[in-house]
C-alpha cells in the first residue's frame, strides 16, 4: 500500500516507543478498490496518552487540536492533512450523532477498536511497519463477493445515518447489501430511527450518492426497497407506477425513467461538484409533476403541464435536504424549463425566444438536463445517443451569445447619467425598454440603444 513518506517517518518513531501506526478506514478500502486515496487516517496503538502522540507530531508539522477530546489530532505537513487518532470505544448515551460517550484506549486490540465501524469494508487496517493488512471481519471476502455487510448489529443501529451510508456505498461500488444488513436497515426504517437525523447529515450522503456513483439508480432503488422512499420522500413515491406513453417511454413508468435519466447524467458531469450536483438534482426531480398531471385516455397517455407542476414538489423535497435558497431556486428553474429544448427545436423557436429563455435559466445546463432526460429512455432515437434538439439549441445559443448567460445590457444607469438624465424612478423603465428591444432583436448597438432612449423621451414630452 502506498504510504506518504512523512507517515512512514512518524511510524518509525512510534516503533522506537513500542507503539505502532495502523492506516485505517476508507484509505485501505480504496486501496483494494484501486481508487485514488485522498485521505489517510492513522490509528496509533501502544501509547498511554494522546499528549504523547501530540508531542511527536509537533516535531514534524502543525497539529490542530480541535478533535483532541475525541482522541483525534489533525496533523498538517507540506500542505497535506492527516488524521492521527487513538483507538476508542463509543457508547450511545443520547439522540443524534453527538449523543455518544467516547473512551480512548491506546491498548485496545485492532479488532476491538474496529468494532465501532459500520461495514466490514471500512474495518480493515494496514500495519505500516509490518507491511501487513489486518482484516478482522472478513472484508476481503465481502469485497470479492461485492457485498456490503455490517459488523455488529448493536453498534450499527446507534447511528441511523448508516442506513444512508449503506445506500450510497452500494451505489458507488455496485455492491449488493448482505441479507442480514438489509433486514437490519429495513427494521431501522420501520421503527422510525431515521427520524432523528438532521437534514445536513442526510444531504451529505445524497451528495456522495449523486456525485460519486457510476449508477446512482442502485442507491435509489435500494431506498425504495428499504422503505425510505415511502416513509421520507413522498415526491419519489408518487411517481412510482405512474404510466407513460409507450411511444415516448417504452422503458416503463416515471420512476424507471427517472432512474435511467439520473444514470445518464453521470456521463454528462463537468467535474465541478456544485454545478454537477445542481444538474443531478434537477434530473432527479424533473418529472415530479407527472404524479399529478398524467392523463390516461383510451388512445394515449400525456402529462401536459408537468414541468411547471413539478416545481412545488421539487421545492418541498429540496428544502428537506438543505436551506441553500439560491441553489434551490436554480434547480427549480431547470425543472420548470426542462422541456424547452425539445419544444423550441420542434417549433423552430425564434432568436428572441431563445434570448428570453437565457434570462430565466442557464441554457448550457438546461440542455444537459434535457439531454439526460432524452437519453434516459428506450426509444430508438434515444438509444442512438444523439439529442438533436439539444445540439440545435446550443448552436443557436452560441450564435446569439447566450450560451451560459443572458445578453449583456447595452445601457446601464451610468450611461443614462452620462447622457444628461437625472437619476429617477424612470431609469428602471427606460433600461427595461432598451433591454426588451435587445431581446427582440430590434436593438443591437449602443448607438441604437441611445437613439431608443431619446425617442422615449420625445414621446413622454409630447
Amino acid at each position: 500500500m502506498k504510504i506518504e513518506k512523512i507517515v512512514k517517518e512518524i511510524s518509525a518513531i512510534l516503533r522506537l516507543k513500542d507503539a505502532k501506526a495502523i492506516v485505517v478506514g476508507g484509505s485501505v478500502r480504496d486501496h483494494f478498490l484501486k481508487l485514488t486515496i485522498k485521505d489517510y487516517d492513522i490509528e496509533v496503538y501502544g501509547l498511554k496518552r494522546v499528549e504523547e502522540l501530540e508531542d511527536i507530531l509537533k516535531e514534524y508539522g502543525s497539529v490542530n487540536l480541535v478533535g483532541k477530546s475525541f482522541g483525534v489530532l489533525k496533523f498538517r505537513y507540506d500542505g497535506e492533512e492527516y488524521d492521527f487518532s487513538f483507538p476508542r470505544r463509543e457508547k450511545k448515551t443520547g439522540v443524534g450523532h453527538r449523543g455518544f460517550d467516547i473512551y480512548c484506549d491506546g491498548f485496545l486490540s485492532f479488532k476491538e477498536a474496529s468494532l465501532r465501524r459500520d461495514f466490514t469494508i471500512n474495518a480493515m487496517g494496514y500495519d505500516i511497519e509490518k507491511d501487513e493488512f489486518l482484516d478482522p471481519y472478513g472484508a476481503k471476502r465481502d469485497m470479492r463477493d461485492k457485498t456490503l455487510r455490517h459488523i455488529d448489529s448493536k453498534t450499527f443501529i446507534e447511528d441511523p445515518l448508516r442506513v444512508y451510508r449503506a445506500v450510497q456505498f452500494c451505489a458507488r461500488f455496485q455492491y449488493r447489501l448482505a441479507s442480514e444488513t438489509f433486514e437490519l436497515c429495513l427494521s431501522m426504517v420501520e421503527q422510525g430511527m431515521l427520524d432523528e437525523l438532521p437534514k445536513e447529515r442526510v444531504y451529505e450522503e445524497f451528495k456522495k450518492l449523486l456525485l460519486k456513483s457510476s449508477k446512482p439508480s442502485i442507491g435509489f432503488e435500494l431506498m425504495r426497497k428499504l422503505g425510505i422512499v415511502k416513509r421520507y420522500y413522498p415526491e419519489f413515491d408518487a411517481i412510482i407506477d405512474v404510466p407513460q406513453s409507450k411511444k415516448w417511454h417504452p422503458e416503463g413508468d416515471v420512476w424507471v425513467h427517472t432512474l435511467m435519466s439520473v444514470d445518464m447524467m453521470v456521463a454528462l458531469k463537468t467535474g465541478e461538484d456544485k454545478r454537477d450536483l445542481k444538474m443531478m438534482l434537477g434530473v432527479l426531480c424533473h418529472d415530479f409533476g407527472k404524479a399529478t398531471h398524467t392523463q390516461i385516455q383510451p388512445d394515449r397517455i400525456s402529462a401536459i403541464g408537468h414541468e411547471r407542476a413539478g416545481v412545488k414538489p421539487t421545492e418541498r423535497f429540496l428544502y428537506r435536504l438543505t436551506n441553500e435558497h439560491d441553489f434551490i431556486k436554480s434547480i427549480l428553474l431547470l425543472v420548470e424549463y426542462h422541456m424547452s429544448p425539445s419544444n423550441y427545436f420542434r417549433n423552430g423557436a425564434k432568436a428572441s425566444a431563445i434570448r428570453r429563455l437565457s434570462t430565466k435559466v442557464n441554457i448550457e445546463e438546461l440542455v444537459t438536463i434535457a439531454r439526460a432526460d432524452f437519453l434516459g429512455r428506450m426509444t430508438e432515437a434515444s438509444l442512438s445517443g444523439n439529442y438533436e434538439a439539444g445540439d440545435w439549441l446550443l448552436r443557436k445559443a452560441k450564435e446569439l451569445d447566450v450560451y451560459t448567460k443572458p445578453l449583456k445590457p447595452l445601457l446601464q444607469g451610468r450611461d443614462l447619467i452620462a447622457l444628461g438624465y437625472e437619476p429617477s424612478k424612470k431609469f428602471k423603465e427606460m433600461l427595461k425598454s432598451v433591454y426588451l428591444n435587445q431581446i427582440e432583436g430590434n436593438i443591437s448597438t449602443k448607438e441604437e440603444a441611445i437613439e431608443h432612449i431619446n425617442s422615449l423621451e420625445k414621446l413622454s414630452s409630447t
Side-chain angles (χ1 to χ4, degrees):
M1 181 175 180
K2 179 185 176 183
I3 302 296
E4 299 295 329
K5 183 179 178 182
I6 184 62
V7 176
K8 287 184 177 180
E9 289 182 25
I10 293 171
S11 175
I13 294 296
L14 288 167
R15 181 185 59 186
L16 297 177
K17 295 180 177 293
D18 294 324
K20 61 181 176 181
I22 296 180
V23 182
V24 297
S27 55
V28 186
R29 175 200 70 214
D30 290 349
H31 165 77
F32 282 100
L33 291 172
K34 295 181 171 51
L35 299 174
T36 301
I37 298 174
K38 295 181 179 179
D39 302 299
Y40 284 90
D41 295 331
I42 301 100
E43 277 186 346
V44 176
Y45 290 75
L47 297 179
K48 291 182 179 180
R49 297 180 302 110
V50 175
E51 287 75 15
E52 294 178 71
L53 176 59
E54 181 185 343
D55 290 340
I56 292 170
L57 295 178
K58 282 182 176 177
E59 292 293 319
Y60 292 88
S62 62
V63 180
N64 186 328
L65 304 179
V66 68
K68 184 177 178 180
S69 59
F70 302 105
V72 180
L73 301 175
K74 292 190 175 295
F75 171 69
R76 193 161 187 82
Y77 173 84
D78 196 24
E80 298 293 331
E81 188 172 80
Y82 308 86
D83 278 3
F84 281 81
S85 62
F86 259 44
R88 61 186 186 267
R89 293 189 179 95
E90 296 175 349
K91 182 179 179 181
K92 186 76 168 176
T93 57
V95 176
H97 64 294
R98 292 188 175 89
F100 287 88
D101 283 343
I102 294 173
Y103 306 93
C104 295
D105 183 350
F107 296 95
L108 280 176
S109 69
F110 179 75
K111 185 174 183 177
E112 287 178 298
S114 299
L115 190 65
R116 67 180 177 83
R117 299 191 179 276
D118 48 12
F119 304 105
T120 61
I121 64 170
N122 293 330
M124 289 186 289
Y126 173 70
D127 188 321
I128 297 173
E129 295 303 310
K130 290 184 178 181
D131 186 22
E132 175 181 276
F133 287 99
L134 309 176
D135 184 15
Y137 297 107
K140 290 181 182 177
R141 175 201 63 217
D142 287 339
M143 295 179 87
R144 183 186 65 241
D145 297 339
K146 297 183 75 65
T147 300
L148 189 71
R149 189 187 314 277
H150 73 285
I151 296 170
D152 180 81
S153 297
K154 182 179 178 181
T155 58
F156 187 87
I157 66 173
E158 290 180 340
D159 185 0
L161 189 73
R162 287 171 169 175
V163 177
Y164 279 105
R165 284 172 61 79
V167 165
Q168 59 103 345
F169 279 136
C170 283
R172 283 168 60 186
F173 307 138
Q174 297 189 34
Y175 278 19
R176 71 172 185 88
L177 198 57
S179 57
E180 65 269 30
T181 306
F182 180 93
E183 292 302 323
L184 181 60
C185 290
L186 182 64
S187 174
M188 292 170 70
V189 174
E190 290 175 345
Q191 293 177 54
M193 291 186 180
L194 278 61
D195 294 0
E196 71 177 57
L197 293 172
K199 64 183 182 181
E200 294 80 9
R201 296 189 76 206
V202 175
Y203 188 35
E204 288 304 313
E205 298 307 312
F206 262 89
K207 288 179 184 177
K208 292 172 186 174
L209 171 59
L210 291 169
L211 295 177
K212 294 187 176 184
S213 305
S214 57
K215 287 198 71 176
S217 61
I218 293 173
F220 286 103
E221 184 60 17
L222 182 55
M223 286 171 65
R224 184 188 66 80
K225 291 178 180 178
L226 289 171
I228 296 173
V229 165
K230 190 169 189 63
R231 187 178 184 107
Y232 297 101
Y233 304 106
E235 298 83 9
F236 292 131
D237 193 50
I239 62 174
I240 295 173
D241 294 329
V242 173
Q244 301 183 106
S245 166
K246 290 186 178 181
K247 177 181 179 181
W248 306 113
H249 291 280
E251 69 280 356
D253 66 24
V254 181
W255 171 254
V256 171
H257 164 61
T258 296
L259 297 194
M260 288 180 66
S261 299
V262 170
D263 284 350
M264 281 294 174
M265 184 61 224
V266 171
L268 303 176
K269 290 191 297 186
T270 66
E272 299 176 30
D273 280 355
K274 194 69 175 181
R275 191 178 182 206
D276 288 337
L277 182 62
K278 179 204 302 187
M279 293 190 288
M280 290 294 291
L281 287 168
V283 171
L284 186 63
C285 303
H286 80 282
D287 273 350
F288 279 172
K290 286 184 176 179
T292 55
H293 278 56
T294 294
Q295 297 180 0
I296 304 172
Q297 298 170 341
D299 60 339
R300 63 195 292 262
I301 297 175
S302 62
I304 298 170
H306 76 275
E307 315 96 294
R308 187 178 294 274
V311 172
K312 281 297 180 184
T314 299
E315 186 176 38
R316 289 194 296 270
F317 164 66
L318 292 175
Y319 271 113
R320 287 205 302 280
L321 293 180
T322 179
N323 290 324
E324 299 172 85
H325 307 297
D326 290 342
F327 184 61
I328 289 175
K329 183 179 178 181
S330 68
I331 296 169
L332 298 181
L333 291 168
L334 291 173
V335 170
E336 182 175 358
Y337 292 100
H338 77 268
M339 292 289 291
S340 295
S342 293
N343 290 339
Y344 279 31
F345 175 66
R346 187 183 307 114
N347 298 323
K350 295 179 180 180
S352 57
I354 297 171
R355 293 193 193 100
R356 279 195 297 274
L357 181 64
S358 74
T359 67
K360 298 179 177 72
V361 65
N362 181 308
I363 289 181
E364 183 185 26
E365 293 175 355
L366 181 66
V367 169
T368 304
I369 294 285
R371 191 183 302 277
D373 175 19
F374 180 78
L375 297 179
R377 55 186 86 184
M378 297 293 288
T379 64
E380 185 177 343
S382 299
L383 292 173
S384 74
N386 298 315
Y387 181 40
E388 188 179 0
D391 295 336
W392 172 85
L393 182 55
L394 288 180
R395 285 196 303 272
K396 291 292 185 181
K398 284 182 178 178
E399 291 170 7
L400 297 169
D401 197 25
V402 292
Y403 188 73
T404 58
K405 57 184 182 299
L407 280 179
K408 184 178 179 181
L410 289 169
L411 289 185
Q412 297 183 31
R414 60 175 176 266
D415 297 308
L416 296 184
I417 293 172
L419 290 171
Y421 292 102
E422 292 289 333
S424 69
K425 293 180 180 179
K426 291 175 62 178
F427 267 35
K428 185 176 181 180
E429 294 177 8
M430 295 164 73
L431 294 173
K432 181 179 179 181
S433 179
V434 171
Y435 195 61
L436 288 175
N437 274 276
Q438 269 187 258
I439 289 173
E440 292 299 322
N442 300 326
I443 294 175
S444 58
T445 67
K446 191 168 185 177
E447 291 71 25
E448 290 174 346
I450 292 171
E451 184 179 336
H452 179 73
I453 289 294
N454 290 334
S455 66
L456 286 177
E457 281 302 291
K458 288 178 183 177
L459 283 173
S460 64
S461 63
T462 57

